[in-house]
Amino acid sequence: MNQNELFEKSKCMVPGGVHSPVRSFKGLHTTPKFIKEAKGAKFWDTDGKEYIDFCMSFGPLILGHQNEEVSVKLKEQLDRGWSYGACEPYSLDLAEFLVSKLDFIDQIRFVNSGTEAVMTAVRLARGVTKKNKIIKFNGCYHGHLDSLLIKAGSGLAGTAEASSAGVPASIASDTLVLELGDLNAVKEVLENNKNDVALIAIEPLPANNGLLPQDLEFLKGLRSLCDEYGALLLFDEVISGFRVGLGGMAAKTGITPDIVTYGKIIGGGLPVGAVGAKKEVMEYLAPVGPVYQAGTLSANPLAMVGGLSTLTQLTEENYKLLENNTLKIVALFKKWFKEYNNGQFSHLNMVSESSLFWIHPGEAPKRACDIPANLADEFYTLFEILLEKGIYLAPNAYEVGFVSLAHNEAIISELEQKLFS
Ligand SMILES: *Cc1c(COP(=O)(O)O)cnc(C)c1O
């Protein structure tokens, strides 16, 4: 079956033909590519067409596809079994590694996804503070739990409504949504909801709705406001954790969050999430404390081994290499924007941070509300031209690009050839 036939078949069995909406190529003329194999910085669709992959499973594959060492460790684990539903040493090794690298946490609990990690963090914050409301920021994504599928409302600062059907208004009313960068609005909302805000949740490097790096002063301000009003600060580092460096944004900014969530890279491409905090906070979780949380497959040994063998390959040197290669890749794209088809894309630009990049027109926006509304229309044309050339970006204008250690010099020259041929 060709790509279209596979998609037609998939649409019969699966809503929209996909298991996660961003994979659907919605708005594009092309149907989604069915990938049959991947290695290094590339993957191949079922027709055999080759792509340089800048989506990298939306972030987890910081070493590239099928990293040799991870592959060996996974195969060894397969021979020992892949789920015990009991204590095992593999999650202990990963927990020990993480706690040793993250001096702002004492304990960690593993779950199966970023969403689950954030869901646990929210319940934990409410259990610890005995307060109900949470603050989030427009343009930050925290997974698909009800209480964070919330967008800004049209009323006063902080008012919000569900961004998905099926989320009750009663749940939406406990989430307050603000614009990034506006500390005064945060203070005002905390003041108006005195003694009722359990948690301020933020992606310290917002990277799910464009790449919107924040000023250090704003992040520091959130820390002081949390202290002043008795709310907990959640750094949702599901993307930024182990992406911007070993300690994530918490180490990079020197700001200590009360709770931190991880996912993506810490599983190396297998399903893992984690929530971490100081012992006083973590011990609110069952079985020690009153906040319930559980998981049949949590700390699945295969995922634990995949995660640890990914993380142990991330040296300072490798982070430098990732950043340097990203800058080279960004420079190539920018040059191509200027030159392609007499400057068809010359108004486009690229912002990057560590090994993440994002295409945007004009000046880099800092808030979701500053992103031009027609961003998607233009992106579709660009995406399809690149796809044809064998360059695969995440199929959505608001998603960032991910560079891995497999995007080496050889791949960069291949990219140059594909772009300019
Ligand atoms: C990806 C992501 C999530 C959700 O993780 P899933 O594993 O997709 O559930 C949550 N928060 C952030 C910051 C993310 O990037």
Side-chain angles (χ1 to χ4, degrees), residues 185-207:
V186 179
K187 190 166 171 73
E188 190 187 322
V189 162
L190 284 166
E191 196 56 45
N192 293 342
N193 294 275
K194 225 168 187 165
N195 298 320
D196 209 14
V197 176
L199 184 76
I200 297 184
I202 187 164
E203 281 182 81
L205 175 62

Side-chain angles (χ1 to χ4, degrees), residues 191-298:
E191 196 56 45
N192 293 342
N193 294 275
K194 225 168 187 165
N195 298 320
D196 209 14
V197 176
L199 184 76
I200 297 184
I202 187 164
E203 281 182 81
L205 175 62
N208 275 288
N209 186 78
L211 184 60
L212 310 170
Q214 295 300 298
D215 292 337
L216 183 58
E217 287 316 306
F218 173 63
L219 298 174
K220 280 188 178 162
L222 293 180
R223 177 66 275 173
S224 346
L225 285 172
C226 280
D227 294 340
E228 192 181 336
Y229 288 87
L232 300 187
L233 179 62
L234 167 66
F235 270 11
D236 181 358
E237 300 232 42
V238 171
I239 278 194
S240 55
F242 297 90
R243 173 61 64 177
V244 303
L246 281 177
M249 286 300 285
K252 201 166 173 178
T253 59
I255 298 169
T256 306
D258 298 297
I259 308 181
V260 62
T261 45
Y262 297 102
K264 299 194 170 111
I265 290 175
I266 69 156
L270 290 103
V272 185
V275 51
K278 289 286 182 198
K279 193 163 178 242
E280 309 85 82
V281 171
M282 289 302 280
E283 290 203 329
Y284 272 81
L285 285 178
V288 190
V291 177
Y292 192 69
Q293 187 279 329
T296 301
L297 294 175
S298 287

Side-chain angles (χ1 to χ4, degrees), residues 24 31 49 108 118 199 237 268 295 302 332 347:
S24 70
T31 54
K49 185 169 164 75
I108 198 153
V118 174
L199 184 76
E237 300 232 42
L302 201 56
L332 281 178
H347 57 296

